[in-house]
């Protein structure tokens, strides 16, 4: 008779094998090798209640090796995790046997890689290697921040541990190194990475390209490095996790030697079992070698179900009940903090959140939109006490520091700080912000706009996960000037506008900046980027001289200032622009009117929001009858075609910029009011 623990571990293995075989697609090797680790984490180690997978104080499990998704799906099934939707239980299990049978098929809760918000119990969307590791750093930061801000009287109610399963691919990706370096610096002792050291990648042995000593690297980062010689040694694994529990000053890396495809007589330890089904015959041989007594696929022995019910099921329920009682006492003693927590977790805004966000007075000289952004960010953060973030070593230039009393820096000494020093780690910054955002905290990251290319993969995951992360991008165009083409973004606006479920803003003055921040605060379904200038922009006299209020930002595009030909009751030409170029077309409008040409000026801060408006509104802004149109933007033309039509003209960049004062560059590239007038006439 097979020992019950071994039977449970082999159940995990066989579910993974059967799911991949049924789909004829997937990665069975890592789940087979690391099943003992997953078993111990879920059934013995984690503070987790399967019936309440959104419990704020739960431990988190991040499968950074997202291709090994059947390992997590098997665990969610065996633990009986409940499916939640809109923060409410649906009465269904998150992963049913039918979902495993339909692995990688349409409408299954077992997609090819774990997807946050699709399957309860999945804490982040993973698959692009390294990002799961980096996001787990964000989740660990959030756990420390919750505890520091809300715990009282020495009792820990709101902190938690984060366990991350990573592999050789993660260890090769640069973002993992960025995040690990920061985690060590911050001494995130609630973070435990388990490294599946199986020495195999898709191409074969890791010796082909990866021979470094990972343990020494992490020791240099300041991590507590532990080693387990055999993934099947449950005693050694338990001891390693105990040592993680005892560690109070460093994050922990447990290097676990495993055999990919463990149990397969012909494929174990080879690249052939990494990313392809074993095959019907090899599945049968593997089950035989494991001593698996069941012929039917997707078999879960009843005694295994009972083992998990009496393990994580009972333990999790008891721990949650104890926590709920403790929280009731906490709420009675600290009603203000408890209300704040409930508001945060519900994704709602506190009363008076925008009280400090006042309108900007008209100012012909104006200010750079990076400056107005910094002021509005601080106004919003004072009313939204769970808005936290920072810059990739560019805070003085990004104006992204929270400077009001009590903001402070998050550090190893101050876990309640709201400013983050991410260092020159753009990709990790964005991924960490994603991890933070999964907990309900609102996060932001800032850098120069041209460097958005460094963090684009994390922005994509922000959008996939519907996370309200704020990306503050300054130095938004050739207006950067003397720094030259390496620092002048020309294609970045078009690039980010192409990402589904991502809202990109480029405001033209301080009041548009404020409206961008309002929109971000009120929406919690998607990430937002704001592109901001280095050069000064006039603050327009709203509601005077025919200027429309800045609330038009919420529509994505709006008629900022209109001049209509009395003979046709339409403008003769529509001038469109975003950001700093709006002021060029406003100047052109005046010059054209002096020559008898009536122009409509349309500010277009967000393509995405404008495209979401109904046809009637879009027609009211860009009437089809007016085919003469000019768009002006200090970037490439891509995307403007849909607004310009066949007869429209674009003035902007067709290549990279150059090093010179910004006014010289605008003249050189023909992005001026005079150039607009010339093209219209």
């Amino acid at each position: 008779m097979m020992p019950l623990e071994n039977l449970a571990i082999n159940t995990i293995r066989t579910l993974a094998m059967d799911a991949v075989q049924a789909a004829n697609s997937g990665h069975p090797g890592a789940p087979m090798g690391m099943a003992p680790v997953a078993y111990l984490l879920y059934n013995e180690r984690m503070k987790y209640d399967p019936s309440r997978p959104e419990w704020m104080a739960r431990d988190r499990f991040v499968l950074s090796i997202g291709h090994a998704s059947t390992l997590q799906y098997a665990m969610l099934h065996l633990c009986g995790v409940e499916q939640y939707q809109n923060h409410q239980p649906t009465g269904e299990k998150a992963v049913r046997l039918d979902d495993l049978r339909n692995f990688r098929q349409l409408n299954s809760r077992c997609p090819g890689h774990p997807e946050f918000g699709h399957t309860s119990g999945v804490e982040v969307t993973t698959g692009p290697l390294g990002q799961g590791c980096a996001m787990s750093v964000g989740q660990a930061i959030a756990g420390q921040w919750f505890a520091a801000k809300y715990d009282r009287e020495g009792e820990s109610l709101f902190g938690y541990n984060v366990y991350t399963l990573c592999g050789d691919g993660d260890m090769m990706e640069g973002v993992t190194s960025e995040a690990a370096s920061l985690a060590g610096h911050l001494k995130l002792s609630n973070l435990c990475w388990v490294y599946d050291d199986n020495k195999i990648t898709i191409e074969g042995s890791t010796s082909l390209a990866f021979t470094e000593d990972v343990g020494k690297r992490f020791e240099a980062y300041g991590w507590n490095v532990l080693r387990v010689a055999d993934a099947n040694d449950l005693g050694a694994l338990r001891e390693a996790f105990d040592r993680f529990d005892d560690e109070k000053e460093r994050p922990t890396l447990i290097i676990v030697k495993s055999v990919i495809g463990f149990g397969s007589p012909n494929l174990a330890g080879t690249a052939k079992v990494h990313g392809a089904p074993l095959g019907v015959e090899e599945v049968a041989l593997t089950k035989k070698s494991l001593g698996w007594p069941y012929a039917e696929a997707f078999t879960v022995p009843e005694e295994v179900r009972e083992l998990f019910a009496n393990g994580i099921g009972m333990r999790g329920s008891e721990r949650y009940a104890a926590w709920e009682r403790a929280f009731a006492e906490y709420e009675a003693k600290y009603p203000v903090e408890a209300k704040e927590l409930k508001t945060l977790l519900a994704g709602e805004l506190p009363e008076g959140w925008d009280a400090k966000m006042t309108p900007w007075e008209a100012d012909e000289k104006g200010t750079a939109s990076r400056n107005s952004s910094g002021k509005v960010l601080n106004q919003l953060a004072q009313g939204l006490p769970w808005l936290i973030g920072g810059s990739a070593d560019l805070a003085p230039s990004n104006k992204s520091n929270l400077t009001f009393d009590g903001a402070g820096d998050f550090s190893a000494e101050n876990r309640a700080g709201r400013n983050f020093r991410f260092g020159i780690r753009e990709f990790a910054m964005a991924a960490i912000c994603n991890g933070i955002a999964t907990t309900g905290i609102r996060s932001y990251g800032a850098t120069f706009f041209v460097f958005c290319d460094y963090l684009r993969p994390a922005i994509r995951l922000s959008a996939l996960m519907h996370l309200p992360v704020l990306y503050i991008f300054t130095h938004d165009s050739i207006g950067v000037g003397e720094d030259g083409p390496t620092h002048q973004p020309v294609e970045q606006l078009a690039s980010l506008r192409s990402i589904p479920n991502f809202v990109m803003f480029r405001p033209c003055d301080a009041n548009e900046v404020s409206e961008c921040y309002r929109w971000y605060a009120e929406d919690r379904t998607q990430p937002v980027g704001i592109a901001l200038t280095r050069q000064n922009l006039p603050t327009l006299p709203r509601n005077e001289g025919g200027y429309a209020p800045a609330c038009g930002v919420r529509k994505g595009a709006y008629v900022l200032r209109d001049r209509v030909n009395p003979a046709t009751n339409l403008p003769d030409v529509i001038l469109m622009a975003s950001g700093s170029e709006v002021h060029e077309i406003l100047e052109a409008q005046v010059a054209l009117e002096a020559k008898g040409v009536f122009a409509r000026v349309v500010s277009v801060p967000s393509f995405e929001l404008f495209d979401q408006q109904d046809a009637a509104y879009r027609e009211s802004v860009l009437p089809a009858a007016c085919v003469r149109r000019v768009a002006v933007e200090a970037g490439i033309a891509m995307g403007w075609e849909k607004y310009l039509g066949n007869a429209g003209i674009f003035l902007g960049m067709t290549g990279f910029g150059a090093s010179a004062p910004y006014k010289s560059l605008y003249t050189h590239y023909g992005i001026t009011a005079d150039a607009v007038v010339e093209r219209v006439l």
Side-chain angles (χ1 to χ4, degrees), residues 167 260 262 396 403 420 461 506 512 596 613:
I260 192 169
F262 178 84
T403 57
F420 284 83
L461 285 191
R506 189 167 182 248
E512 280 201 357
Q613 306 308 310

Side-chain angles (χ1 to χ4, degrees), residues 367-397:
T367 185
S369 56
R370 63 168 173 165
N371 292 334
S372 55
S373 167
K375 292 179 181 178
V376 175
L377 173 66
N378 273 268
Q379 292 168 352
L380 174 61
Q382 290 177 76
L384 188 57
W386 48 89
L387 176 61
I388 65 178
S391 176
D393 195 55
L394 290 170
S397 294

Side-chain angles (χ1 to χ4, degrees), residues 466-547:
H466 293 264
L467 295 175
V469 176
L470 174 63
Y471 295 97
I472 298 170
F473 299 121
T474 67
H475 299 62
D476 72 339
S477 71
I478 59 170
V480 171
E482 292 87 346
D483 275 339
T486 61
H487 282 55
Q488 293 169 0
V490 295
E491 77 277 23
Q492 279 71 19
L493 261 173
S495 172
L496 293 189
R497 285 168 175 161
S498 73
I499 300 177
N501 199 51
F502 183 73
V503 174
M504 189 68 214
F505 288 110
R506 189 167 182 248
C508 77
D509 75 345
N511 282 303
E512 280 201 357
V513 168
S514 188
E515 288 299 322
C516 293
Y517 274 93
R518 286 180 179 275
W519 195 93
Y520 161 72
E522 292 173 352
D523 181 83
R524 58 187 177 115
T525 64
Q526 54 200 325
V528 169
I530 306 180
L532 304 157
T533 65
R534 179 191 185 190
Q535 71 271 30
N536 283 355
L537 303 178
T539 304
L540 298 173
R542 302 290 174 165
N543 301 315
E544 296 179 16
Y547 289 95

Side-chain angles (χ1 to χ4, degrees), residues 390-408:
S391 176
D393 195 55
L394 290 170
S397 294
N398 298 150
K399 311 301 180 183
S400 56
N401 268 350
L402 303 182
T403 57
F404 51 86
D405 288 345

Side-chain angles (χ1 to χ4, degrees), residues 15-278:
L15 286 175
M17 285 189 291
D18 289 340
V20 172
Q21 191 61 46
N24 197 30
S25 173
H27 300 73
M32 295 164 68
M34 294 299 281
V37 172
Y39 167 77
L40 282 184
L41 278 175
Y42 274 91
N43 206 41
E44 293 187 8
R45 182 64 47 172
M46 288 170 57
K47 179 178 64 175
Y48 192 91
D49 182 358
S51 64
R52 296 170 181 84
E54 296 187 359
W55 174 25
M56 70 162 298
R58 70 189 181 279
D59 288 345
R60 270 72 169 172
F61 174 79
V62 174
L63 186 72
S64 193
I65 46 172
H67 56 270
S69 57
T70 53
L71 178 63
Q72 186 164 27
Y73 299 148
M75 297 312 306
L76 297 180
H77 175 73
L78 293 172
C79 294
V81 173
E82 298 286 336
Q83 179 71 7
Y84 271 55
Q85 187 172 355
N86 298 324
H87 307 295
Q88 297 297 322
T90 64
E92 295 181 333
K93 298 300 181 185
V95 175
R96 302 152 295 195
L97 271 182
D98 279 347
D99 293 309
L100 282 164
R101 291 189 181 101
N102 289 287
F103 174 56
R104 292 191 165 212
Q105 307 307 303
L106 189 63
N107 297 324
S108 171
R109 292 207 194 107
C110 297
H113 294 81
E115 296 180 17
F116 175 78
H118 180 73
T119 310
S120 291
V122 171
E123 303 288 359
V124 293
T125 295
T126 55
L129 291 174
Q131 290 201 59
C133 289
M135 286 187 284
S136 74
V137 172
Q139 292 187 330
I141 285 171
Q144 298 271 15
W145 189 85
F146 273 121
K149 183 169 176 61
Y150 294 108
D151 279 347
R152 297 290 185 273
E153 300 176 1
E155 183 178 1
S156 180
L157 274 178
F158 306 111
Y160 52 78
N161 291 330
V162 182
Y163 298 92
T164 304
L165 187 55
C166 48
D168 291 305
D170 289 302
M171 292 303 168
M172 295 185 215
E173 289 286 359
V175 68
T176 301
S177 298
E178 291 181 25
S181 173
L182 185 58
H185 169 74
L186 292 174
K187 300 181 179 180
L188 298 177
S189 58
N190 61 333
L191 180 64
C192 179
W193 288 1
V194 182
Y195 168 28
D196 177 15
D197 186 15
N198 63 35
K199 302 296 185 188
I200 293 293
T201 60
I202 290 174
E203 292 186 355
S205 169
T206 54
S207 63
L208 293 169
F210 187 61
T211 51
E212 69 183 52
D213 188 324
V214 171
K216 288 183 179 178
R217 172 163 45 120
F218 274 72
E219 286 171 0
Y221 289 150
W223 285 56
N224 170 35
V225 178
L226 309 174
R227 292 172 173 81
V228 175
D230 181 1
N232 294 298
D233 187 341
L234 298 182
L237 287 172
R238 289 187 177 102
E239 181 181 351
F241 287 126
D242 286 342
R243 291 176 65 185
F244 160 63
D245 285 340
D246 293 338
E247 176 59 54
K248 304 303 179 186
E249 295 293 328
R250 299 172 293 175
T252 293
L253 176 70
I254 304 175
I255 302 174
V256 179
K257 295 285 186 181
S258 75
V259 176
I260 192 169
F262 178 84
S264 172
N266 300 303
L267 300 177
T270 72
K272 293 180 180 179
V273 77
H274 171 84
L278 277 69

